[in-house]
């Protein structure tokens, strides 16, 4: 169980959770850092999202699958898809706090929207560095100590939803942009690799990625496992 507090160090907290539940690779991203890879298998893990203000001992627990970082449950309730109105939302940090405080008693459309917003901020941050940074900056713009000047105090979800929706496609495109050798090595357990294979590394070839997926591919941190 990980605690994820709505605070200015959001991106750092996300990074620790990501590192604990995904595998490292020697596949190099566009920014010279390394991709991480979803793990195989049916296992799940839990993240409790806690507010940064008010009743800070409260929290909402999300259950995520290791194979794709999809949220299956919010508390004990099943979660399937995002609300169709998610793209209309532009939350501030205090909005996320309000979601955590009031979600247990919310009903109807408000319940579905707030569930979707919380899942979006957590799951898409885990998959995508750009979204993790955007959520963190949004929080810092209103709750930072000191308050961060410059970044928008709101998170325009509509700007990031297309990236989230193409994560699977973009992951496949990135994976195919590596050589067959790199693909074989990264999918094998590290314990089965030779010393030479463990030292192997390769940079993604952007020219092999379809143009309509390049923006999404550039922001992905965790690749969905093929198959």
């Amino acid at each position: 169980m990980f605690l994820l507090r709505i605070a200015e160090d959001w991106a750092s907290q996300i990074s620790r959770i990501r590192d604990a539940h995904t595998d490292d690779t020697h596949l190099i991203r566009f920014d010279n850092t390394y991709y991480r890879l979803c793990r195989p298998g049916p296992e799940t893990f839990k993240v409790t999202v806690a507010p940064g203000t008010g009743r800070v001992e409260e929290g909402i627990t999300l259950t995520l699958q290791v194979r794709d970082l999809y949220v299956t449950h919010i508390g004990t309730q099943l979660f399937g898809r995002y609300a169709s109105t998610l793209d209309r939302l532009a939350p501030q940090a205090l909005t996320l706090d309000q979601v955590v405080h009031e979600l247990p008693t919310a009903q109807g459309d408000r319940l579905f929207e707030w569930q979707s917003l919380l899942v979006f901020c957590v799951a898409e941050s885990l998959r995508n560095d750009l979204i993790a940074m955007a959520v963190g900056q949004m929080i810092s713009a209103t709750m930072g100590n000191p308050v961060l000047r410059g970044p928008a105090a709101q998170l325009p979800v509509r700007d990031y939803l297309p990236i989230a929706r193409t994560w699977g496609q973009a992951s496949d495109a990135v994976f195919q942009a590596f050589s067959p050798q790199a693909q074989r090595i990264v999918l094998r357990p590290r314990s089965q690799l030779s010393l030479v294979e463990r030292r192997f590394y390769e940079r993604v070839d952007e020219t092999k990625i379809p143009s309509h997926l390049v923006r999404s591919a550039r922001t992905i941190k965790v690749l969905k496992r093929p198959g």
Side-chain angles (χ1 to χ4, degrees), residues 3 77-78 110 127 129 160 166 175 188 199:
L3 179 68
Q77 296 184 10
L78 286 170
R110 189 177 186 86
R127 298 183 186 115
D129 266 352
Y160 300 99
T166 56
F175 196 76
R188 289 170 57 199
R199 291 176 174 173

Side-chain angles (χ1 to χ4, degrees), residues 49 61 75 86 91 123 142 148 151 165 175 181 224:
V49 186
T61 299
L86 181 60
T142 50
L148 186 63
R165 285 174 170 161
F175 196 76
Q181 181 185 13
K224 186 177 181 180

Side-chain angles (χ1 to χ4, degrees), residues 33-173:
T33 62
Y34 293 99
Y35 287 105
R36 297 192 67 83
L37 182 68
C38 286
R39 293 174 178 169
E43 290 81 10
T44 61
F45 65 96
K46 296 181 185 294
V47 175
T48 296
V49 186
T53 61
R55 301 182 299 276
V56 295
E57 72 283 356
E58 295 182 352
I60 300 295
T61 299
L62 309 181
T63 303
L64 297 93
Q65 300 176 149
V66 296
R67 67 173 180 264
D68 51 21
L69 302 179
Y70 286 162
V71 172
T72 62
H73 291 78
I74 301 175
T76 59
Q77 296 184 10
L78 286 170
F79 182 81
R81 59 178 178 82
Y82 289 141
S84 60
T85 53
L86 181 60
D87 61 347
R88 302 176 191 172
L89 303 182
Q92 296 183 345
L94 293 177
T95 309
L96 293 185
D97 265 21
Q98 183 182 9
V99 167
V100 174
H101 287 309
E102 299 185 15
L103 195 56
T105 58
Q107 296 180 346
D109 292 343
R110 189 177 186 86
L111 171 63
F112 193 23
E113 279 192 349
W114 278 4
Q115 287 178 329
S116 298
L117 177 60
L118 191 62
V119 169
F120 178 86
C121 288
V122 176
E124 305 304 343
S125 287
L126 287 170
R127 298 183 186 115
N128 193 296
D129 266 352
L130 179 66
I131 295 176
M133 181 177 66
V135 174
Q137 289 181 343
M138 175 266 290
I139 295 170
S140 296
T142 50
M143 292 172 57
N145 184 22
V147 169
L148 186 63
R149 304 295 182 185
Q154 293 180 312
L155 179 74
V157 174
R158 67 178 180 276
D159 291 352
Y160 300 99
L161 204 52
I163 294 175
R165 285 174 170 161
T166 56
W167 174 69
Q169 287 180 281
S171 287
D172 289 342

